[in-house]
Amino acid sequence: MAMKKALLAVFAFAALAFAGFGSAQKFSIYTGYPLGIGGMYYLSETMRVNAALMAVPGAFGVGAGADFILGKIPVVKQDPFPINFYYGVGGAGSFAGGSGFSAFGFGVLGFGGFEYRFSEGLGLFSEFGAGPVFAMVNIEGLGSSSGFAFDFVGRFGLNFY
């Protein structure tokens, strides 16, 4: 029951936080892997920041990062709403904790994705990224561990212009 209340509070907080982005030049909401809900705010056409609330088995987590979009390639040049492929690099950090478990990680990733703008103010996007991450994990009764790994991210969401 406590987990359901916490999840409801997280979704309510996210809805209120993203409601204030209405005056931004571009912002996004998304879901994906790792499982959760997040948002991105575009500082410019090539720079964005993001934050996410994640559901980890037996725990909740938060993450944040910044991405630099290196380029866009038109896939379908239809007027007025094209389909574009984009790619870039980014960095992120995250923390997850629960009953007897905590983890902290940070890393870099390369990513690529597609966006389909189906109206003047709305686009649908899907992206995938991968890269090295350094993680520190503490499990009650088993101790602590740290090391490097290769991690993946996937996002699916809406862009608002």
Side-chain angles (χ1 to χ4, degrees), residues 9 20 65 67 69-70 73 108 123 135 142 145 160:
D67 300 322
I69 297 173
L70 298 172
I73 301 169
V108 296
L142 294 177
S145 178
F160 299 90

Side-chain angles (χ1 to χ4, degrees), residues 43-97:
L43 302 170
S44 69
E45 278 296 312
T46 58
M47 185 65 141
R48 67 187 188 189
V49 292
N50 64 71
L53 301 169
M54 302 171 288
V56 181
F60 283 101
V62 295
D67 300 322
F68 185 68
I69 297 173
L70 298 172
K72 292 183 180 182
I73 301 169
V75 176
V76 177
K77 296 180 182 180
Q78 64 188 29
D79 273 337
F81 308 113
I83 299 174
N84 291 312
F85 172 76
Y86 59 92
Y87 57 94
V89 295
S94 62
F95 173 80

Side-chain angles (χ1 to χ4, degrees), residues 12-38:
F13 172 76
L16 290 173
F18 294 122
F21 286 150
S23 62
Q25 78 175 30
K26 181 177 175 183
F27 71 97
S28 305
I29 58 171
Y30 64 86
T31 188
Y33 175 82
L35 182 62
I37 185 170

Side-chain angles (χ1 to χ4, degrees), residues 30-36 109-112 125-130 151-157:
Y30 64 86
T31 188
Y33 175 82
L35 182 62
L109 61 98
F111 63 89
F125 76 93
S126 178
E127 68 183 42
F128 175 78
D151 200 13
F152 301 95
V153 297
R155 297 178 180 144
F156 178 78

Side-chain angles (χ1 to χ4, degrees), residues 104-132:
F104 173 77
F106 58 92
V108 296
L109 61 98
F111 63 89
F114 289 93
E115 179 190 29
Y116 170 59
R117 288 195 55 187
F118 50 87
S119 77
E120 183 83 16
L122 194 60
L124 183 68
F125 76 93
S126 178
E127 68 183 42
F128 175 78

